[in-house]
Amino acid sequence: MANVESMIVEEKSQPAKQVDREKTCPLLLRVFCSTGRHHSVSEYMYGNVPSNELQIYTWQDATLHELTSLVRDVNPDTRKKGTYFDFSVVYPEYRSQSFRMREIGVTCSGQKGADDNKTLAQAKFCIGDFLDISITPPNRLPPMRRQRQY
């Protein structure tokens, strides 16, 4: 028998680059929230977007926890402890002239989570992309973890 070695490769996250928010112009983040589900990618086609747009001026070093707080500030129904926020980036697929959606993380009101400190830059967010957030109230099951594609 041959000696077989297993190799465990640990993915190391890139350290977040600090943005001087006093000197750097913020970007316009177009956010679309929905209760219990993500919007369909087809809702972003042909220059259309879902009707419930939230516009946030922020920076590439904004964390998912920070974005969760901003959504909670404008939407009182999401302030309950145990509310899940499932973040996805919606971005154009230029080859097929369509849009794609990619999950970037989940946060939960009142609980610390592994994705809380993930920044937009670490999630490979590009200016012009949309943020789609599925909000799950505490009385429902939390979002199923899908396999991530980064």
Side-chain angles (χ1 to χ4, degrees):
M1 287 191 155
N3 185 10
V4 179
E5 288 184 39
S6 68
M7 185 184 222
I8 298 174
V9 178
E10 199 171 299
E11 187 177 312
K12 293 184 180 179
S13 62
Q14 298 290 335
K17 292 180 184 175
Q18 284 295 88
V19 173
D20 184 346
R21 292 184 176 192
E22 293 292 320
K23 295 181 180 177
T24 305
C25 183
L27 60 95
L28 173 62
L29 181 62
R30 298 178 70 189
V31 180
F32 301 91
C33 299
S34 183
T35 302
R37 67 171 185 86
H38 282 287
H39 290 93
S40 168
V41 177
S42 64
E43 293 181 70
Y44 294 94
M45 301 291 281
Y46 311 112
N48 296 322
V49 292
S51 60
N52 59 345
E53 183 171 358
L54 172 61
Q55 295 184 347
I56 298 172
Y57 287 95
T58 191
W59 295 265
Q60 284 280 25
D61 69 342
T63 64
L64 297 186
H65 178 74
E66 184 179 353
L67 296 172
T68 298
S69 295
L70 293 171
V71 171
R72 289 174 60 206
D73 286 346
V74 298
N75 189 344
D77 295 339
T78 64
R79 295 179 189 160
K80 294 179 183 154
K81 186 175 182 175
T83 300
Y84 281 87
F85 296 79
D86 185 349
F87 290 83
S88 289
V89 172
V90 178
Y91 60 96
E93 177 65 46
Y94 294 109
R95 288 181 291 230
S96 62
Q97 296 184 357
S98 63
F99 282 84
R100 301 195 82 176
M101 186 178 291
R102 173 176 45 87
E103 181 182 318
I104 60 171
V106 176
T107 62
C108 183
S109 292
Q111 296 177 17
K112 291 190 182 219
D115 297 329
D116 285 357
N117 293 321
K118 182 180 284 187
T119 66
L120 290 174
Q122 289 170 329
K124 297 184 172 79
F125 176 88
C126 294
I127 294 174
D129 292 347
F130 304 115
L131 202 60
D132 193 279
I133 306 174
S134 170
I135 300 171
T136 306
N139 58 347
R140 295 197 195 163
L141 293 175
M144 297 293 284
R145 299 302 298 199
R146 295 183 297 271
Q147 186 166 348
R148 295 186 180 185
Q149 302 167 356
Y150 292 102

